Amino acid sequence: MLGVPVRGMVVLGVLAAAGLMYVANGGEKLGAEGAGTGECRVTVVADILNVRSGPADTQPIVSTMRRDFVVAAERRVENGFRMLSEGRWAKEEFVVPTRDSDCS
C-alpha cells in the first residue's frame, strides 16, 4: 500500500491513536499516575459555555469556553452553578468532572 510495509502502517496507526488519546486527555499522561490527585477539574460539555462572575443566570458573563475545554474547579456547587478557578462560575449541568478528578 503506497510502498509502506504493513508493519510500518501498524506502527503509524498505533502512534496516531496514542496521539489522539493524549489530546483527548487534555495533554495529561494516561494511566493511574494522575488518578486520585485530589484536584477537581471539569470538562465543558456545552457547545459554548457562559462563565459568570457569580452563581446565578443574572450575573455578568465574564468569559466563554468551548466544548471539551478542561478547567480547574472547586468542589463548591451553589444554586446549580459550580465554582471554577479564579472565582468564576459555570452552570453545573454543562460541566462534568474529568476521570481523574475529585470533585465530590
Side-chain angles (χ1 to χ4, degrees), residues 21 24-25 29-31 35-36 41 43 97-102:
M21 289 172 28
N25 198 38
K29 287 184 179 179
L30 298 175
R41 293 169 24 115
T43 302
T98 61
R99 278 181 308 172
D100 61 345
S101 284
D102 181 12

Side-chain angles (χ1 to χ4, degrees), residues 3-4 10 19 21 25 29 37 44 50-51 61 66 68 71 73 76 91-92 104:
V4 179
V10 170
M21 289 172 28
N25 198 38
K29 287 184 179 179
T37 61
V44 175
N50 290 328
V51 179
I61 296 170
R66 294 192 178 275
D68 298 327
V71 62
R76 182 175 171 189
K91 198 79 150 164
E92 174 74 358
S104 52

Side-chain angles (χ1 to χ4, degrees), residues 9-92:
M9 293 298 286
V10 170
V11 170
L12 287 175
V14 169
L15 290 174
L20 287 173
M21 289 172 28
Y22 178 81
V23 170
N25 198 38
E28 297 292 325
K29 287 184 179 179
L30 298 175
E33 296 92 357
T37 61
E39 295 178 20
C40 177
R41 293 169 24 115
V42 294
T43 302
V44 175
V45 294
D47 289 332
I48 300 205
L49 175 68
N50 290 328
V51 179
R52 298 184 180 273
S53 63
D57 288 324
T58 56
Q59 294 294 314
I61 296 170
V62 294
S63 67
T64 58
M65 294 179 186
R66 294 192 178 275
R67 179 180 297 276
D68 298 327
F69 189 83
V70 176
V71 62
E74 303 293 328
R75 292 177 182 88
R76 182 175 171 189
V77 176
E78 187 176 314
N79 195 28
F81 285 77
R82 179 170 296 272
M83 183 181 229
L84 305 178
S85 61
E86 301 174 12
R88 301 169 299 156
W89 295 82
K91 198 79 150 164
E92 174 74 358

